[in-house]
Structures are given as C-alpha cells and as structure tokens.
C-alpha cells in the first residue's frame, strides 16, 4: 500500500526566504506526482505535475523535483511571499484510473 | 482552464438527516469524478470513484449505502450522505480529470459538513 509522508508538518518563514518542502513515498512504481496548494476551507489548486520519467518541473517561483528511485520529491519556493501561506500537499498517482494518494501536507506561513 | 464547481460550500444539519453535495464540471465533460473526505489536520482520503452511467466504485471501508453517489450526466455527480451522524462531519471534496490529455486533476472548492 502506497504511503505518502510530508516533512515538515508546519513551517514558518519570514518573507523573502527560499524554502524546501519534502515529500516521500513508499512505492516507487508511480505514474506521476503532483503538488497542490490548499487554502483553509477551500479546494485544491494544482501547482505542478511531474511525470515518472521526468526529474523536475518549474512554474514561476516554484520548482519541483522527483527522484523516483529513492521515493522522494521536493517543492522549492523561491523568494517566499505572504500570499504563499497555505497548506501544500503532494500526491502520487499509481496509474490506476487517476486515483491519488495524498500526503498529510505542510502548513506554510510566510510572515512579514 | 477546467473548472469544477461544488455546492454547497458549507452545510450544518441535524443528526439523522440526509445531505446532498453536488459536483459539476463547468466547461468539460467528465465521465469519471472522484470523491474525497478530509478530516481536520489529516490528508485527503479517496472515498469513491463516480462513473457516468454506471455504479460508483467505493474504496475499502466506505459504506456505499451510507454515501450514495449518482453520476447521471457527463457534467454532474452527487454525493448524498444518508442519515448523517456527527462522525460524518468532515470536509468533502470532488475532483475530475479534464479529459483533454492533461493529467492534472481539477478539484471543487469543497463542502464542510457539520452534523449536530
């Protein structure tokens, strides 16, 4: 059974700092991995999707890497802003009808 | 981009009543939709896969008679929590693949259910 873990569970950083969120998964036989953002009481916004054959994806200040063999992914956020404050979730797709297994998330707070 | 609309965003009900949650794909057709549940400070757990024109597929441990799913059209799936109890209080969220070859899933805004 696939298990997804995210570390740290919570993180507080001052504005402007670069930061890294970590995601690990137990079964390396994945189809893709996605990073999502969730604001309190809201739905999820897809940030980046990395195919199993890819090593990284970039979008603006966000960069996600994937090391499938070691079961790890990182989300790098450059020059953090207060608007980045949210919970960040990673999820792996094992290729079975797009069913996702989610991590428990990292709650990020960027302070002024 | 693809938009998934979920309604209502919040509902408070008495124990024993039934609650219906709607999930609509606004600018695309979705033959499949997914229903997730999220308890406070926990991750999303897949409850069931809604299939247009056929029965839903439920994950292990999810009571199909408790959580009724109907996917009557290519743009609408509904989740009905029957005879709700306080332990059913949770955040329910639906998602759908846009079916354009884009593998990203698009999520509704979620429904916070509170059963008194």
């Amino acid at each position: 059974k696939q298990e997804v873990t995210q570390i740290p569970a919570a993180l507080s950083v001052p504005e402007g700092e670069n930061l890294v969120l970590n995601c690990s998964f137990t079964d390396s036989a994945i189809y893709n991995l996605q990073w999502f953002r969730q604001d309190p009481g809201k739905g999820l916004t897809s940030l980046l999707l990395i195919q199993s054959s890819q090593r990284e994806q970039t979008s603006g200040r966000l960069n996600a890497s994937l090391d499938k063999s070691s079961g790890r992914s990182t989300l790098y956020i450059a020059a953090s802003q207060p608007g980045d404050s949210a919970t960040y979730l990673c999820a792996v797709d094992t290729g079975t009808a797009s069913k996702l297994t989610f991590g428990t998330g990292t709650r990020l707070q960027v302070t002024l | 981009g693809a938009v998934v609309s979920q309604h209502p965003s919040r509902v408070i009900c008495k124990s024993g009543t039934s609650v219906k949650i709607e999930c609509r794909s606004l600018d695309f057709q979705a033959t499949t939709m997914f229903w997730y549940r999220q308890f406070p400070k926990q991750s999303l757990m897949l409850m069931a896969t809604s299939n247009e024109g056929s029965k839903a597929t439920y994950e292990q441990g999810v009571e199909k008679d408790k959580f009724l799913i109907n996917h009557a059209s290519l743009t609408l799936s509904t989740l009905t929590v029957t005879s709700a109890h306080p332990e059913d209080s949770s955040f329910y969220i639906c998602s759908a693949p846009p079916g354009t070859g884009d593998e990203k899933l698009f999520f509704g805004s979620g429904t916070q259910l509170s059963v008194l």
Side-chain angles (χ1 to χ4, degrees), chain A:
Chain A
K1 178 185 175 183
Q2 179 75 269
E3 293 183 3
V4 182
T5 304
Q6 290 186 245
I7 295 173
L11 180 65
S12 180
V13 300
E15 181 180 15
E17 275 203 7
N18 303 324
L19 58 101
V20 175
L21 308 181
N22 298 290
C23 172
S24 61
F25 46 95
T26 55
D27 186 348
S28 62
I30 66 169
Y31 188 63
N32 63 49
L33 182 145
Q34 296 187 57
W35 282 93
F36 294 88
R37 169 186 173 137
Q38 184 178 28
D39 292 287
K42 303 292 184 181
L44 276 66
T45 300
S46 180
L47 299 174
L48 290 164
L49 182 151
I50 311 176
Q51 298 287 359
S52 63
S53 59
Q54 298 174 325
R55 294 194 65 84
E56 68 176 345
Q57 282 287 328
T58 298
S59 176
R61 293 182 294 109
L62 306 179
N63 176 278
S65 68
L66 174 64
D67 183 343
K68 197 174 77 163
S69 61
S70 68
R72 295 180 182 178
S73 176
T74 61
L75 179 66
Y76 175 82
I77 302 177
S80 59
Q81 303 171 357
D84 295 330
S85 298
T87 295
Y88 290 81
L89 297 166
C90 71
V92 297
D93 183 349
T94 55
T96 305
S98 296
K99 292 182 179 180
L100 298 182
T101 302
F102 282 85
T104 49
T106 294
R107 295 186 303 281
L108 172 66
Q109 182 175 11
V110 181
T111 58
L112 293 171

Side-chain angles (χ1 to χ4, degrees), chain A residues 31-32 34 36 38 41-44 46-47 49 51 89 97-100 102-104, chain B residues 34 36 38 41-44 46 49 57 59 91 93 97 103-105 107-110:
Chain A
Y31 188 63
N32 63 49
Q34 296 187 57
F36 294 88
Q38 184 178 28
K42 303 292 184 181
L44 276 66
S46 180
L47 299 174
L49 182 151
Q51 298 287 359
L89 297 166
S98 296
K99 292 182 179 180
L100 298 182
F102 282 85
T104 49
Chain B
F34 302 99
Y36 291 85
Q38 185 180 33
K41 297 188 178 181
Q42 295 187 25
S43 192
L44 281 76
L46 180 66
T49 302
T57 305
E59 295 301 303
F91 187 70
I93 190 167
E103 293 166 310
K104 292 183 180 178
L105 282 178
F107 284 77
S109 55

Side-chain angles (χ1 to χ4, degrees), chain B residues 10-11 13-14 17 21-22 36 38 43 50-51 55 58 65 67 69-70 73-74 83 91-92 99 101 115:
Chain B
R10 179 178 292 273
V11 60
C13 69
K14 293 182 179 180
T17 60
I21 303 170
E22 293 187 348
Y36 291 85
Q38 185 180 33
S43 192
S50 173
N51 304 298
K55 292 182 179 180
Y58 290 81
D65 294 330
F67 300 99
I69 290 174
N70 185 284
S73 76
L74 287 170
S83 187
F91 187 70
Y92 294 86
V115 184

Side-chain angles (χ1 to χ4, degrees), chain B:
Chain B
V3 177
V4 175
S5 174
Q6 187 173 340
H7 179 81
S9 59
R10 179 178 292 273
V11 60
I12 301 172
C13 69
K14 293 182 179 180
S15 184
T17 60
S18 294
V19 175
K20 180 185 284 188
I21 303 170
E22 293 187 348
C23 181
R24 293 181 184 272
S25 56
L26 295 186
D27 53 0
F28 65 100
Q29 294 181 332
T31 56
T32 301
M33 290 186 178
F34 302 99
W35 287 95
Y36 291 85
R37 179 168 55 186
Q38 185 180 33
F39 291 107
K41 297 188 178 181
Q42 295 187 25
S43 192
L44 281 76
M45 297 296 293
L46 180 66
M47 298 175 64
T49 302
S50 173
N51 304 298
E52 188 270 333
S54 64
K55 292 182 179 180
T57 305
Y58 290 81
E59 295 301 303
Q60 190 174 9
V62 178
E63 300 175 59
K64 60 182 179 182
D65 294 330
K66 173 76 171 176
F67 300 99
L68 300 180
I69 290 174
N70 185 284
H71 196 148
S73 76
L74 287 170
T75 59
L76 174 64
S77 175
T78 61
L79 168 67
T80 301
V81 183
T82 62
S83 187
H85 291 283
E87 58 265 30
D88 298 323
S89 298
S90 184
F91 187 70
Y92 294 86
I93 190 167
C94 65
S95 72
T100 59
D102 187 340
E103 293 166 310
K104 292 183 180 178
L105 282 178
F106 293 91
F107 284 77
S109 55
T111 298
Q112 182 64 53
L113 171 63
S114 299
V115 184
L116 305 178

